[in-house]
Amino acid sequence: MSQLKLAILGAGRIAETMAETVRQMDDVCLYAVAAREEARAKAFAETYGAEHYYGSYEEMLQDDGVELVYIATPHSHHAQHAKLCIEYGRPVLCEKAFTWTAEEAAEVLQLAKEKQVFITEAMWVRYMPMFRMLKETVDSGKIGAVTAVTANLGYALLHKERVTRPELAGGALLDLGVYTLNFATGLLGDEPERIETTMVRLITGVDKQEFVNLIYPNGVVAGLFNTMVSVTDRKGFIYGTEGHIEVENINNYEEFRIYNNQYELTETIRRPEQLTGYEYEVRACHRALLNGQLECEEMPHVHTMRIMHMLDEIQKKWEEQEA
């Protein structure tokens, strides 16, 4: 497999994590980085060994050496930057949340379809071996029929400007809720028959924490909690008729433990050795590009759109509650 030339659009914290990951990979190289200020791009390139750096996104996208662009800007700019990449014919790995709204997501995916350009969402847990192993365990019937799922994700993030400012699409839902939603829908499916939710806001207007409940037609339920004002245990639980599974860290699976109906631990499955976990999504993109695909099987466009519609629906319910 030839070495993939990755370019990073944006030079913030998450871009640094991706760059550090790529630096440890043999099958991918950090080809270029672009930031709004050339000095920042240069410093980033020198730190992480990028071959090229640019002080504008357009200039980097004009470089024919770019084989995949990782978009690492705030949620509010994802649609704009994804469209820019697509117009230049550059394949895209776009950070979550994919866009600000479902309408934006539909526009991006339609443009990618028209231009026949690859794009996928960087929901990293979906690409991890542990996600597949967890789903296979549930589908095997080791805990019987699944009756419910719970999950929480919380960090103390009030010092992070990107999550507190409404103009940057801040809030716990778009930053953290995408993980709890992906955890639940990855196990239960994308089509709950209804969604119930409660939320409280920061003084800036963005949601600081919320509960989201998904109710499925077969009576299965999911209870999800997201917060950016405190640190939670980040655990997920899958309850079945013959036992339950406890998942350690739904944001970067560490291990999951299987219990029977007598609360006895019957099996522990631990995470395979990894670099940071980001390597899986990059390699999935590389495989898809080599196979001539326009999306990744691990995170298909139809799922990205379903999650975006859920995010819209949840926020609409908040507005109705506050009216």
Side-chain angles (χ1 to χ4, degrees):
M1 186 180 290
S2 60
Q3 197 174 52
L4 177 71
K5 295 179 179 178
L6 178 74
I8 299 180
L9 194 154
R13 181 195 58 81
I14 203 163
E16 293 174 352
T17 302
M18 177 60 80
E20 181 58 37
T21 306
V22 170
R23 186 158 61 173
Q24 302 175 63
M25 299 174 70
D26 295 330
D27 48 344
V28 183
C29 73
L30 183 54
Y31 179 77
V33 61
R36 288 173 296 181
E37 299 88 23
E38 185 174 342
R40 188 177 184 189
K42 181 181 179 181
F44 189 101
E46 290 174 348
T47 299
Y48 296 102
E51 297 179 24
H52 306 277
Y53 61 89
Y54 298 95
S56 79
Y57 303 145
E58 292 86 351
E59 190 177 0
M60 183 181 75
L61 296 175
Q62 291 169 16
D63 186 334
D64 289 332
V66 173
E67 295 178 329
L68 177 68
V69 179
Y70 172 62
I71 295 177
T73 51
H75 311 142
S76 52
H77 292 67
H78 284 180
Q80 174 191 346
H81 294 154
K83 289 177 181 178
L84 186 65
C85 292
I86 293 167
E87 291 290 357
Y88 279 100
R90 306 302 177 203
V92 178
L93 172 62
C94 183
E95 254 309 328
K96 58 78 199 166
F98 188 65
T99 54
W100 197 337
T101 66
E103 181 179 4
E104 284 187 343
E107 291 173 357
V108 168
L109 294 179
Q110 181 59 35
L111 181 62
K113 182 178 179 180
E114 291 172 0
K115 300 287 187 179
Q116 290 292 284
V117 175
F118 171 91
I119 187 168
T120 194
E121 182 179 2
M123 175 48 66
W124 68 326
V125 293
R126 283 275 178 155
Y127 301 87
M128 293 177 176
M130 281 289 277
F131 178 77
R132 182 184 68 253
M133 294 159 68
L134 177 62
K135 187 163 176 54
E136 288 173 351
T137 299
V138 171
D139 292 344
S140 72
K142 286 187 177 181
I143 61 167
V146 173
T147 59
V149 167
T150 64
N152 74 77
L153 189 60
Y155 300 99
L157 298 175
L158 294 186
H159 61 290
K160 301 280 189 181
E161 188 179 44
R162 63 178 175 81
V163 296
T164 60
R165 290 173 55 184
E167 66 271 24
L168 294 180
L173 183 66
L174 291 185
D175 203 68
L176 305 173
V178 287
Y179 289 109
T180 55
L181 280 172
N182 266 281
F183 181 78
T185 58
L187 298 167
L188 304 179
D190 289 344
E191 299 295 335
E193 66 178 8
R194 74 177 189 276
I195 299 175
E196 298 173 349
T197 180
T198 55
M199 174 274 298
V200 289
R201 296 190 187 276
L202 282 178
I203 192 170
T204 62
V206 303
D207 59 295
K208 69 177 180 179
Q209 54 187 358
E210 62 263 345
F211 286 96
V212 176
N213 296 324
L214 310 180
I215 298 91
Y216 286 81
N218 57 1
V220 175
V221 297
L224 314 174
F225 173 57
N226 319 303
T227 179
M228 63 182 195
V229 295
S230 58
V231 175
T232 70
D233 58 28
R234 304 178 299 186
K235 287 185 178 181
F237 287 87
I238 307 155
Y239 301 99
T241 54
E242 301 297 329
H244 72 275
I245 299 174
E246 180 181 11
V247 182
E248 201 68 48
N249 191 0
I250 65 162
N251 190 28
N252 185 3
Y253 305 119
E254 296 170 19
E255 67 176 33
F256 58 89
R257 298 176 286 275
I258 305 169
Y259 295 83
N260 62 24
N261 267 351
Q262 284 70 51
Y263 305 100
E264 297 168 336
L265 177 64
T266 61
E267 187 177 0
T268 298
I269 298 177
R270 293 183 173 84
R271 179 175 67 196
E273 186 176 349
Q274 64 182 31
L275 301 177
T276 64
Y278 280 42
E279 65 268 27
Y280 299 116
E281 61 190 14
V282 178
R283 286 180 176 140
C285 291
H286 199 185
R287 288 193 300 270
L289 289 169
L290 290 173
N291 292 331
Q293 298 169 304
L294 297 179
E295 60 186 318
C296 279
E297 297 173 1
E298 295 87 346
M299 192 68 185
H301 294 166
V302 64
H303 176 67
T304 288
M305 280 306 308
R306 188 66 193 110
I307 292 294
M308 291 306 308
H309 281 301
M310 286 185 182
L311 296 172
D312 276 8
E313 181 178 349
I314 291 165
Q315 293 177 90
K316 182 179 179 181
K317 286 181 179 293
W318 294 342
E319 292 172 0
E320 292 171 349
Q321 292 167 4
E322 295 171 331

